[in-house]
Amino acid sequence: QKEVEQDPGPLSVPEGAIVSLNCTYSNSAFQYFMWYRQYSRKGPELLMYTYSSGNKEDGRFTAQVDKSSKYISLFIRDSQPSDSATYLCAANTGGFKTIFGAGTRLFVKA
Amino acid sequence: DAGVIQSPRHEVTEMGQEVTLRCKPISGHDYLFWYRQTMMRGLELLIYFNNNVPIDDSGMPEDRFSAKMPNASFSTLKIQPSEPRDSAVYFCASSLARGGVNEQFFGPGTRLTVL
């Protein structure tokens, strides 16, 4: 079993939809939970992160972590075609070894 | 800053040949990571360095893979001999030790095809 599991999709939604991306993890020692966004033919870029449990909001994006169920979520409101990318969840214990999920490919249709 | 620089961007080689991938991290960053990304396995950490010293190479798949960081501004990942199953996108990333989330900055990747 991988330490961070993520459904690779693809996920296709119409413009304006609310998108929900999810991951599960198995290592209870994880403290930092991240979402990286990767456009086609590019490297991943950090989108946002949370520390421990709770929610964090940044514009149209909300990251949520539930440590009791070991569940990581990213919500995108009013999705735009420019949001079309692969979204990778990731986690680490506060050190430098970050474990990434497989990534979910998202397509937002205009 | 130019960001993380990787070369070549694309590499096509034949099975058995030696392949060398190159990376220049962001100036001032003290951690450097090598990843491999495939559809089947996602993004896998191969090895990472701190201040040019390899810290964890447990992700290196086989002895055919080796990585070096001779100075703070240059690292190589070598595959010798290469095999078709090594075909993937190889990313280099760098980070600055500030504690906390330790954001990694990725290069554009090298797309390797082994025929």
Side-chain angles (χ1 to χ4, degrees), chain B residues 44-105:
Chain B
E44 301 174 282
L45 176 65
L46 300 177
I47 185 171
Y48 74 94
F49 296 81
N50 175 221
N51 291 324
N52 315 336
V53 177
I55 301 301
D56 186 343
D57 66 354
S58 59
M60 297 285 263
E62 299 170 35
D63 291 345
R64 299 184 295 106
F65 286 70
S66 62
K68 294 182 179 179
M69 192 165 186
N71 57 62
S73 58
F74 184 66
S75 177
T76 59
L77 178 68
K78 186 175 294 186
I79 308 172
Q80 165 64 16
S82 58
E83 296 183 4
R85 59 194 167 116
D86 301 331
S87 297
V89 181
Y90 290 81
F91 287 102
C92 176
S94 69
S95 182
L96 180 61
R98 287 183 180 147
V101 71
N102 298 320
E103 178 180 2
Q104 296 183 21
F105 295 83

Side-chain angles (χ1 to χ4, degrees), chain A residues 13-99:
Chain A
V13 301
E15 182 176 357
I18 296 174
V19 176
S20 173
L21 304 172
N22 307 291
C23 295
T24 58
Y25 66 94
S26 58
N27 188 344
S28 300
F30 286 150
Q31 291 292 325
Y32 290 89
F33 303 90
M34 294 145 275
W35 285 95
Y36 280 76
R37 180 172 59 192
Q38 184 178 18
Y39 290 114
S40 181
R41 307 276 177 172
K42 303 285 188 183
E45 293 180 306
L46 182 64
L47 180 62
M48 57 193 307
Y49 73 93
T50 55
Y51 172 70
S52 194
S53 277
N55 292 1
K56 187 171 185 178
E57 189 173 318
D58 184 1
R60 297 183 295 108
F61 297 86
T62 299
Q64 192 173 79
V65 176
D66 182 346
K67 294 194 80 177
S68 62
S69 60
K70 295 189 176 67
Y71 208 74
I72 312 166
S73 300
L74 178 70
F75 300 97
I76 307 174
R77 292 183 299 281
D78 187 24
S79 57
Q80 302 295 308
S82 58
D83 295 329
S84 297
T86 297
Y87 290 81
L88 299 96
C89 59
N92 70 36
T93 60
F96 283 86
K97 189 169 184 176
T98 297
I99 307 299

